């Protein structure tokens, strides 16, 4: 029996690779001859780099860059040499977690750190670049990143715009993109992005996400005006008009800059990752899929990893069982729409620190119990072991004639 194990991380406890390996060990403790294929995945957010490195055999690279306030920091990205694929999470440079709450000053913040990382990645001559958008402390429309890549913006009297003064973009009348390295034209850039907001307007970057980055209510209109002007220049000088495209407002407008200056395309985060790890190829002859993440609730169906994995498995006619440390009540909708079962892994009443400390052991025991239940169900439905291909069909039929 072939089982594809494609989980996300369990936040604060286990990486996706650790989760996948733990599940695999648990399965083999009951079914020693099972073919367990471990495919750690993510949804395009935190952990995407780690998942793709683990799944595709890459390395973690370290580069010098700056944070949203221009302070030096060391950041990382993933490099998969066999595919000449680089994986970058913008939060590695300009993530809000690097800026203390009392330091958040979007008027003086920028995305130059992302551009510095990109410049160093380009020296490796990548063919494909996956960008994890999200978690930024910035609201500059990606202007700082573009500046670091060679773009210049000027006022009507030819005064250059400071890359750490996003509100000055209100006065920009022209941009010069001629100094962007032409090698970027040979790189396919995919934005792993579940945000569909445009750059500006009532559902744009500033109105929706600005306050959590420190944009004060009195400054929302000013930021929106600056990004509107910046967006008009991007649309006029870029590869194609982009500022109204879904995802242009992601990461404080970085989406628009990637699209306008580098020709990037946006794709749902989990689909981007599942395509990169070639999950469909692994599923082609699988009998069962196991997935999971730290928490499963009503939001899971909106772009979270277990939902994306289940949808792919469902297209192949393969049942999917999900595991999570925290399982919300009333998840009938998730089971009615594809999951065979959703299994909580917390096995006793305890506080959160205890649950986190014992997460791996609890996951292992829960997967073992699932396998034993499937064995018992198999014996009720007919005779023989789970890995017998000739027993009668029961309540849950595994692909390839195996059932339980």
């Amino acid at each position: 029996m072939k089982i594809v194990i494609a989980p996300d991380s369990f936040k604060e406890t286990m990486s996706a690779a650790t989760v996948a390996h733990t599940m695999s060990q648990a399965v083999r403790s009951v079914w020693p001859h099972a073919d367990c294929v471990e495919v750690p995945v993510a949804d395009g957010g935190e952990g995407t780099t780690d998942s793709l490195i683990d799944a595709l055999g890459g390395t973690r690279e370290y580069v010098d860059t700056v944070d949203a306030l221009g302070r030096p920091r060391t950041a990382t990205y993933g490099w998969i040499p066999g595919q000449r694929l680089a994986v970058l999470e913008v939060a590695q440079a300009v993530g809000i977690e690097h800026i203390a709450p009392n330091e958040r000053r979007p008027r003086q913040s920028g995305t130059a750190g992302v551009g510095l990382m990109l410049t160093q990645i380009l020296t490796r001559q990548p063919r494909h670049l996956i960008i994890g958008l999200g978690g930024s402390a910035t609201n500059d429309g990606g202007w700082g990143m573009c500046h670091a890549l060679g773009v210049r913006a000027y006022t009507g009297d030819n005064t250059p715009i400071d890359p750490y003064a996003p509100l000055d973009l209100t006065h920009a009348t022209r941009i010069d993109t001629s100094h962007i390295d032409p090698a970027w034209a040979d790189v396919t850039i995919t934005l792993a992005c579940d945000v569909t907001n445009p750059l500006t307007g009532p559902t744009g970057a500033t109105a929706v996400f600005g306050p959590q980055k420190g944009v004060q209510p009195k400054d929302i209109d000013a930021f929106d005006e600056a990004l509107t002007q910046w967006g008009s220049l991007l649309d006029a000088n870029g590869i194609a008009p982009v500022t109204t495209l879904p995802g242009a407002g992601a990461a404080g407008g970085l989406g628009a800059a990637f699209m306008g200056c580098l020709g990037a395309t946006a794709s749902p985060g989990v689909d981007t990752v599942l395509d990169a790890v070639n999950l469909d190829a692994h599923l082609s002859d699988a009998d069962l899929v196991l997935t999971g993440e730290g928490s499963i609730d009503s939001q899971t169906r909106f772009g979270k990893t277990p939902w994306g994995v289940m949808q792919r498995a469902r297209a192949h006619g393969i049942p999917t069982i999900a595991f999570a440390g925290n399982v919300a009540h009333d998840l009938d909708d998730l089971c009615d729409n594809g999951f065979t079962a959703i299994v909580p892994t917390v096995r006793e009443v305890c506080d959160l620190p205890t649950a986190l400390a014992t997460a791996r052991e609890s996951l292992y025991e829960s997967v073992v119990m699932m396998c034993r239940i499937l064995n018992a169900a198999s014996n009720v439905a007919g005779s023989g072991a789970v890995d017998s291909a000739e027993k009668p069909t029961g309540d849950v039929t595994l692909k390839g004639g195996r059932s339980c």
Side-chain angles (χ1 to χ4, degrees), residues 119-135:
T119 298
Q120 295 171 79
I121 289 172
L122 189 62
T123 63
R124 288 183 171 268
Q125 300 180 314
R127 288 197 296 260
H128 188 192
L129 180 61
I130 293 177
I131 307 291
L133 291 180

Side-chain angles (χ1 to χ4, degrees), residues 49-63:
T49 300
D50 289 335
S51 294
L52 290 177
I53 287 174
D54 292 332
L56 299 175
T59 58
R60 178 171 289 279
E61 304 295 329
Y62 295 83
V63 293

